[in-house]
Amino acid sequence: MKTTNINFIGNRNIALIFSGLLSLISIVALSVQGLQMGIDFTGGTLIEVGYQKPADLTVLRATLDESGFPDATVQNFGTAKDVLIRLKLQEGVSSADLSTKVLDAINKHTAEPASLRRVEFVGPQVGDDLAQDGFLALLYSTIGILIYVAWRFEWKFSLGAIIATLHDVIVTLGMFSLLGMEFDLTVLAAVLALIGYSLNDTIVVYDRIRENFILLRNKTTEEMMNISVNVTLSRTIMTSLTVILVLASLFFLGGEVIHGFAVVLLFGVFFGTYSSIFIASPMALILGVSPQDLIPAAKSEHLDNLP
């Protein structure tokens, strides 16, 4: 791809206002509506049943509602013949008794009965532990990013990378909250993968900025950053498109199990690409990064004396 000459850094104020609005909407959505936690975190029972023909989910939901399970979540699992039923935690009822009641209820008015495939139970304490461990995983990964980027580049770049990564995570989770999709361990794994992807994109841009601090000494910091973003743009776009193709395949062909994972990463790849261009570098510029932050004094003097 031909190297572009787009004034990304010059339009940083527009991008930062847009990102601020997205982040605000996401924070409000997460505060008011929250995330629809799956039974991995809340505790409950998961029942998988199978049919010989495609199941009518509308009829199943109505049947379970009439049978005393109004909060049951019913969805296809892999194929139209496989159905996954999620039930919230019910005190005093074992998973075996609960699965029997559910199977009796959905087979009551059907000529072709469903067969029970599996039953899984997650206790409330296990769910609390998983939620806590997931939060700690996000916290530790963020701290690790801060330390790594500060060591490899400079603390101003480190803060820029953290702000860009947090932006991607907050906006992605906000979209997840607005869509009302279930947040489970698979989705949490996708969020952690998103952090790595977003950081990798940012590091590529930062690496080129560091090189250009030495090579383009007659340019201002803003001009040099803009050139660096444009030079890496083709690589960023090609990488993102390749990942999106894979994620689109998982989204449409991977089945219900991988659906949440693919949705999070589709949002994340888009926002990760956006933030590496419009947030990471502009934030480092706002924090006052300069060639002197990355070029040792002795080396800088030597370069100044070169013809």
Side-chain angles (χ1 to χ4, degrees):
M1 295 176 64
K2 184 179 179 181
T3 301
T4 58
N5 187 27
I6 304 172
N7 189 15
F8 292 112
I9 307 301
N11 294 317
R12 62 185 179 275
N13 291 333
I14 298 174
L16 291 175
I17 291 173
F18 174 70
S19 297
L21 290 174
L22 278 180
S23 299
L24 180 60
I25 293 172
S26 300
I27 291 172
V28 171
L30 290 169
S31 301
V32 176
Q33 187 169 317
L35 292 169
Q36 185 179 337
M37 294 294 188
I39 64 172
D40 294 332
F41 299 114
T42 62
T45 303
L46 182 149
I47 303 170
E48 182 186 349
V49 297
Y51 289 88
Q52 295 297 321
K53 298 179 180 179
D56 190 333
L57 299 187
T58 303
V59 173
L60 282 176
R61 293 188 184 100
T63 301
L64 289 171
D65 189 22
E66 295 172 358
S67 302
F69 302 103
D71 297 326
T73 301
V74 182
Q75 61 193 62
N76 286 120
F77 183 77
T79 69
K81 299 178 182 179
D82 302 312
V83 177
L84 202 63
I85 301 172
R86 300 174 185 265
L87 301 171
K88 291 184 178 180
L89 188 67
Q90 298 189 19
E91 298 291 340
V93 181
S94 67
S95 57
D97 291 339
L98 190 60
S99 61
T100 300
K101 291 180 180 179
V102 169
L103 199 61
D104 290 341
I106 62 178
N107 287 337
K108 187 183 301 181
H109 304 296
T110 56
E112 185 178 333
S115 59
L116 184 64
R117 299 283 179 81
R118 65 183 170 109
V119 179
E120 293 182 7
F121 172 76
V122 178
Q125 184 59 47
V126 174
D128 290 340
D129 291 343
L130 289 173
Q132 182 178 353
D133 291 344
F135 171 77
L136 291 176
L138 290 172
L139 177 63
Y140 293 153
S141 62
T142 302
I143 294 174
I145 290 171
L146 188 66
I147 295 172
Y148 169 73
V149 180
W151 167 76
R152 181 171 175 180
F153 295 96
E154 209 269 342
W155 70 267
K156 295 171 186 175
F157 281 112
S158 182
L159 286 181
I162 287 295
I163 292 171
T165 304
L166 289 178
H167 164 271
D168 299 339
V169 172
I170 290 172
V171 172
T172 301
L173 291 179
M175 296 299 102
F176 222 72
S177 175
L178 289 173
L179 292 174
M181 298 183 66
E182 187 177 89
F183 188 88
D184 54 19
L185 282 177
T186 305
V187 175
L188 176 60
V191 173
L192 294 173
L194 161 62
I195 292 175
Y197 180 88
S198 178
L199 176 64
N200 179 69
D201 245 9
T202 301
I203 291 298
V204 169
V205 176
Y206 280 176
D207 212 31
R208 185 53 59 94
I209 290 173
R210 179 171 59 180
E211 292 177 2
N212 286 339
F213 268 145
I214 299 174
L215 299 175
L216 305 176
R217 299 179 60 79
N218 60 331
K219 303 286 186 181
T220 65
T221 301
E222 181 176 334
E223 290 174 335
M224 184 274 304
M225 282 189 169
N226 212 43
I227 292 172
S228 301
V229 173
N230 277 278
V231 168
T232 58
L233 184 62
S234 60
R235 176 264 171 204
T236 300
I237 292 176
M238 294 302 294
T239 302
S240 300
L241 288 178
T242 303
V243 176
I244 287 174
L245 286 175
V246 175
L247 293 174
S249 300
L250 290 176
F251 179 82
F252 291 109
L253 305 174
E256 193 64 37
V257 175
I258 207 73
H259 189 261
F261 181 90
V263 169
V264 170
L265 284 182
L266 280 170
F267 276 120
V269 167
F270 173 79
F271 287 118
T273 303
Y274 165 84
S275 69
S276 66
I277 296 173
F278 287 106
I279 297 179
S281 299
M283 287 307 305
L285 181 64
I286 291 172
L287 291 170
V289 71
S290 65
Q292 288 71 31
D293 293 323
L294 292 177
I295 304 175
K299 186 174 183 179
S300 179
E301 292 176 4
H302 172 70
L303 290 172
D304 287 336
N305 293 329
L306 291 176

